[in-house]
Amino acid sequence: LPDLAEGLKEYGYRLRQFVGMAREQGIRVVFLTHPYLWKTVMTEEEMYELWFGCVQVEEYICYTPEALVKGMEAYNRLVLQVCDEEQLRCIDVASKIPQTLEFFHDDVHFNEAGARKAAEVIAKGLLE
């Protein structure tokens, strides 16, 4: 992956900006981490379902699932960090959805079972 430092810095700034605007309006904020199918060892069937991770820079390149995991984990860690610093509720959905085609129809989008599972995780997190 390219250096994510600048993107993570901007993302953290935007999350905190959003929190500040919501608080000014008296709106309660709950953040979620983002689940994904990528993992270091993937089946051929799972690899076939991947759509994301390729970019056209000077040439067309595709990042490995392992690299994409590292990138998404960095963003999810930042969400958790901002929640901790801002004393916000954060539901770590990413850690609770198994990374299989039982729940995903591509890299990051749920199928019906995945949407149902995510709803259960989020509802439980809101009720705690």
Side-chain angles (χ1 to χ4, degrees):
L1 286 177
D3 183 5
L4 299 178
E6 194 60 36
L8 287 164
K9 180 179 173 185
E10 180 69 17
Y11 187 60
Y13 170 78
R14 298 287 180 190
L15 289 174
R16 289 176 179 90
Q17 187 177 44
F18 178 81
V19 170
M21 290 187 297
R23 284 184 171 152
E24 286 175 7
Q25 299 296 316
I27 298 169
R28 181 176 173 218
V29 175
V30 177
F31 283 137
L32 311 174
T33 58
H34 199 301
Y36 49 88
L37 177 62
W38 307 309
K39 50 196 171 192
T40 54
V41 177
M42 298 186 69
T43 67
E44 188 174 321
E45 182 183 14
E46 290 169 337
M47 290 294 291
Y48 182 76
E49 297 301 326
L50 300 183
W51 287 46
F52 300 100
C54 296
V55 294
Q56 177 76 40
V57 186
E58 292 177 12
E59 59 183 282
Y60 191 71
I61 59 170
C62 293
Y63 298 108
T64 65
E66 185 175 52
L68 295 169
V69 166
K70 288 179 182 177
M72 189 64 88
E73 284 179 348
Y75 279 89
N76 280 341
R77 274 193 310 275
L78 181 57
V79 169
L80 294 170
Q81 177 186 333
V82 169
C83 286
D84 185 55
E85 290 170 1
E86 297 291 333
Q87 299 178 341
L88 299 172
R89 171 72 55 95
C90 188
I91 303 170
D92 189 4
V93 182
S95 71
K96 301 204 176 29
I97 306 287
Q99 294 165 289
T100 69
L101 291 175
E102 179 183 351
F103 298 102
F104 290 89
H105 77 83
D106 66 20
D107 307 50
V108 294
H109 296 104
F110 296 128
N111 57 26
E112 191 172 329
R116 197 176 312 97
K117 179 72 172 170
E120 291 169 5
V121 169
I122 294 166
K124 183 179 178 186
L126 291 172
L127 292 172
E128 288 178 347

